Amino acid sequence: MFAKLSREKNMVRNVELDNLFITEYMPYAPENFVKSYIAGLSMAYSPDNSIDQLAAMLALDRSVIMEAFLYWQEQGIVNILSTDPPEIEYLEVKPLSAQIKKFSKAKYENFNIQLHAMLPHRSFLPSEYNEYYSIMEALHIDVDAMLAIIAYCVRLKGDSIGYAYILAVARNLAHQGATNFERVSEKLNELSLYQDELNAILKALGSKKSPDHNDSQYYIKWTKTLGFTPEVIIQVAKDLKKGGMDKLDLRLTKYFENHVFSLEEIKAYNDNRDRLYSLTKEINRILGIYIEQLDYTIETYINKWLSYGFSDDTLILIAKYCYAHDMRSLRIMDETVKKFYRQGLLSQDAINSFISEAVSIDDDIRHLLSLAGVSRNITSWDRDYYRTWTYSWKMNKEVIEYAATLAAGKGNASAYINSILASWHEQKVESVEDAKKCSYGEPKERQNVVTVKSSEQLEALFAHLNPEEI
C-alpha cells in the first residue's frame, strides 16, 4: 500500500481537507505538490493503492510525486515510511507555529545578516526563516546561491515580494541543477538577457506587467526547446491579443506539435484551421447536431475524410445525402464516406451520379410496390432484393414487374416477389411469356430430386462436393 492514515487521522474517518492545510500550507506550496497531497489523501481510504495509480491520475512522474511528499514531510504533515516501495503516512495537520523545525543559528547567521541587509524595512516571521532553511537543506542549495536568488526576485518584484515566490524560483533553479552560487549566477544572467524580448512579447499581448521569472522560463522553453525565433513569438502574441503568457505557451506548443515554425507555415496552418472549423460547423449544421468543441471532430473525422481525397464540397454533399436518408450522426456519416471511398466515388460528379441512380432505383422499387398494391416507405430490404434481381440475377425488367402483379394481396410483397423470381431464375425465365408458363413461381418439373434418407448418404453427398466450391 502506497498511502495510509496514522491512527489519529484514521479515527476521524473523512476525506475533508483540514482548514489549517487550506489556510496555512496550501497557499505557499507548488501546485503539483498540493495536487499530490490531496489526491494521495483520497486514495489513502482505499485498501489497494499505489504511487503508479497516483501518477497516472495526476499525469505526473513518480519523481515529482516523491518530491512533493518530501516537501510535505518537511512541513510535518506526512511521514515517508518507505521509499522502495513508496509508503506515505498522513499525519494530523498542526498550526505552522507548532511545526517550525529547529535549525542551527550559527549555521545560518551570515544568511540572516545578509537577508536583513537586502530587505532592511521588512519584518521576518520565524515561519519564513524556516521555509528558507528547509528548502536549502532539502534541495542542497548553498547559502550564497539562495541569497543570489532572493536578490534576483527582489529586483523583479520589489521589497514586498512574498517568500512563496522566492521559494518557487529556488525550486525551479534547483531542478535545473543550479544549487551553488556559480550555477545560479549563470542561470540568472541568462534570464536577464531576455528582458527586452519579454517586454516586447508582453506589449504584444497587451499586458502592462513587468517580466518575471516564469516569463523568462517560458521564453527559454519557446526559443531553446521548441525552436521559435523571437520574431515569430512576438507575431503570434500579436495575433493572440489576449490570454497572457499561458495562452501564448499553449498556442506555440500546438504549433510545435504540428511541426509549424515559420510565419509562413503558421499563416498556412491558421488558414487551414479556420477552413476546417468552417467545414466542420457546416457538416454539423446539415446533420442537425451541435458540438461546441470541434477539435475532436476534426481530428477524428474531418482530417481522415480529407486524407481519403474528398473535397470540402464533396463532404458537404455527402452530409446532405446522409441527412436526406435519415443518417444524422457523424458516426453514420463516417461509414457512408468509407463506402463511397471503397467504391472510388470521390468527386461531386461521381457521387451525384450515384445519388441519381439511387433515386432512379427507388422510383423503380416504388413502382413495383404499387403494382403489388403496397403503399409504404422503401426499406433497405427492398433495395437489397432489387439489387439481387437486377445486378446478380440480371432479370428482365418486364418479368420483375409481372412478378409484382402476382404478389398483389400477399402479406410480404417483396419477399413474395423474391420467391417467384428465384424460381424463374432457376428455370432461366427471360420473358413474360416464359413466366406465364410457370405456375406462380413454382417450377413445372422437379427432376433428379434426391432424398437423403441416412447419415451414410449425407456423408457420400459431401464427399462428392468439390471443396473449392463450398
Side-chain angles (χ1 to χ4, degrees), residues 59-77:
L60 296 174
D61 291 336
R62 285 174 53 129
S63 59
V64 175
I65 292 175
M66 286 309 300
E67 184 184 351
F69 283 105
L70 282 170
Y71 171 85
W72 293 121
Q73 181 170 253
E74 287 289 333
Q75 303 301 310
I77 58 176

Side-chain angles (χ1 to χ4, degrees), residues 199-363:
N199 282 322
I201 292 170
L202 289 167
K203 181 179 179 181
L205 288 170
S207 174
K208 295 181 180 179
K209 81 179 189 73
S210 298
D212 62 17
H213 181 76
N214 291 334
D215 300 330
S216 300
Q217 292 297 312
Y218 270 145
Y219 188 78
I220 291 175
K221 172 188 173 183
W222 300 334
T223 55
K224 306 294 185 184
T225 304
L226 304 187
F228 291 103
T229 64
E231 294 75 20
V232 168
I233 297 171
I234 291 171
Q235 185 57 53
V236 173
K238 288 180 180 178
D239 295 338
L240 195 62
K241 295 181 181 178
K242 61 180 181 179
M245 298 291 272
D246 293 341
K247 187 80 173 289
L248 179 58
D249 178 61
L250 291 174
R251 180 64 57 86
L252 289 170
T253 301
K254 189 71 173 178
Y255 290 152
F256 173 79
E257 290 171 349
N258 287 275
H259 310 289
V260 176
F261 298 96
S262 69
L263 290 175
E264 293 76 15
E265 291 171 334
I266 288 173
K267 183 179 184 305
Y269 175 85
N270 287 338
D271 290 344
N272 185 59
R273 182 192 62 190
D274 293 341
R275 176 189 131 243
L276 290 176
Y277 272 82
S278 297
L279 174 61
T280 306
K281 288 180 181 177
E282 179 63 11
I283 288 174
N284 287 346
R285 185 193 67 79
I286 293 170
L287 294 176
I289 60 179
Y290 174 77
I291 300 175
E292 185 174 357
Q293 297 296 330
L294 300 177
D295 290 328
Y296 178 79
T297 301
I298 291 172
E299 292 174 5
T300 306
Y301 297 112
I302 306 298
N303 282 335
K304 179 176 65 175
W305 297 341
L306 292 171
S307 72
Y308 289 159
F310 293 100
S311 68
D312 296 13
D313 291 338
T314 304
L315 291 176
I316 289 174
L317 178 64
I318 295 174
K320 292 177 179 178
Y321 170 82
C322 290
Y323 179 84
H325 289 77
D326 202 24
M327 300 184 293
R328 301 171 189 177
S329 76
L330 289 167
R331 181 185 60 79
I332 297 177
M333 180 172 170
D334 182 50
E335 295 172 358
T336 306
V337 170
K338 289 176 181 176
K339 288 180 181 178
F340 284 137
Y341 176 70
R342 285 193 293 268
Q343 296 181 48
L345 304 174
L346 302 179
S347 68
Q348 280 186 282
D349 290 341
I351 291 176
N352 273 323
S353 296
F354 172 85
I355 293 174
S356 297
E357 183 181 358
V359 170
S360 176
I361 290 173
D362 277 7
D363 288 341

Side-chain angles (χ1 to χ4, degrees), residues 19 28 128 135 187 267 324 368 383 421 430 437:
N19 286 332
Y28 309 108
E128 184 170 353
I135 196 169
K187 284 289 183 182
K267 183 179 184 305
L368 292 176
R383 296 187 181 98
L421 292 177
E430 296 182 354
K437 297 175 184 178

Side-chain angles (χ1 to χ4, degrees), residues 11-292:
M11 291 174 64
V12 180
R13 301 302 296 166
N14 66 65
V15 292
E16 295 180 1
L17 288 176
D18 295 271
N19 286 332
L20 284 172
F21 175 82
I22 296 172
T23 58
E24 297 194 20
Y25 292 85
M26 191 171 71
Y28 309 108
E31 179 182 349
N32 286 334
F33 290 9
V34 174
K35 288 181 180 179
S36 298
Y37 179 89
I38 296 174
L41 179 61
S42 70
M43 290 177 61
Y45 290 91
S46 170
D48 182 21
N49 59 70
S50 69
I51 188 173
D52 292 326
Q53 289 175 308
L54 184 58
M57 180 195 304
L58 300 177
L60 296 174
D61 291 336
R62 285 174 53 129
S63 59
V64 175
I65 292 175
M66 286 309 300
E67 184 184 351
F69 283 105
L70 282 170
Y71 171 85
W72 293 121
Q73 181 170 253
E74 287 289 333
Q75 303 301 310
I77 58 176
V78 305
N79 269 341
I80 299 177
L81 302 178
S82 169
T83 58
D84 188 19
E87 186 176 348
I88 308 299
E89 180 184 43
Y90 279 80
L91 304 176
E92 181 184 359
V93 177
K94 298 179 180 179
L96 276 173
S97 56
Q99 296 280 46
I100 296 177
K101 184 179 177 181
K102 301 296 182 182
F103 291 93
S104 169
K105 291 184 178 180
K107 181 178 180 180
Y108 292 106
E109 182 178 1
N110 182 55
F111 173 82
N112 294 343
I113 292 171
Q114 295 196 54
L115 181 61
H116 281 279
M118 276 192 287
L119 298 167
H121 305 295
R122 178 136 165 204
S123 297
F124 293 93
L125 296 173
S127 58
E128 184 170 353
Y129 285 122
N130 190 69
E131 291 288 351
Y132 292 137
Y133 304 156
S134 295
I135 196 169
M136 282 189 281
E137 296 206 352
L139 300 181
H140 310 291
I141 301 174
D142 294 348
V143 168
D144 290 342
M146 192 68 202
L147 288 168
I149 294 170
I150 295 172
Y152 165 76
C153 293
V154 171
R155 288 197 302 273
L156 287 178
K157 297 290 188 178
D159 293 353
S160 60
I161 182 172
Y163 68 84
Y165 182 86
I166 296 172
L167 297 175
V169 173
R171 193 174 288 107
N172 181 276
L173 291 171
H175 289 166
Q176 300 176 54
T179 56
N180 58 40
F181 180 77
E182 289 74 19
R183 289 286 291 139
V184 166
S185 297
E186 179 184 330
K187 284 289 183 182
L188 295 181
N189 288 334
E190 181 185 5
L191 295 174
S192 299
L193 295 175
Y194 309 130
Q195 296 305 299
D196 291 341
E197 289 86 349
L198 287 170
N199 282 322
I201 292 170
L202 289 167
K203 181 179 179 181
L205 288 170
S207 174
K208 295 181 180 179
K209 81 179 189 73
S210 298
D212 62 17
H213 181 76
N214 291 334
D215 300 330
S216 300
Q217 292 297 312
Y218 270 145
Y219 188 78
I220 291 175
K221 172 188 173 183
W222 300 334
T223 55
K224 306 294 185 184
T225 304
L226 304 187
F228 291 103
T229 64
E231 294 75 20
V232 168
I233 297 171
I234 291 171
Q235 185 57 53
V236 173
K238 288 180 180 178
D239 295 338
L240 195 62
K241 295 181 181 178
K242 61 180 181 179
M245 298 291 272
D246 293 341
K247 187 80 173 289
L248 179 58
D249 178 61
L250 291 174
R251 180 64 57 86
L252 289 170
T253 301
K254 189 71 173 178
Y255 290 152
F256 173 79
E257 290 171 349
N258 287 275
H259 310 289
V260 176
F261 298 96
S262 69
L263 290 175
E264 293 76 15
E265 291 171 334
I266 288 173
K267 183 179 184 305
Y269 175 85
N270 287 338
D271 290 344
N272 185 59
R273 182 192 62 190
D274 293 341
R275 176 189 131 243
L276 290 176
Y277 272 82
S278 297
L279 174 61
T280 306
K281 288 180 181 177
E282 179 63 11
I283 288 174
N284 287 346
R285 185 193 67 79
I286 293 170
L287 294 176
I289 60 179
Y290 174 77
I291 300 175
E292 185 174 357

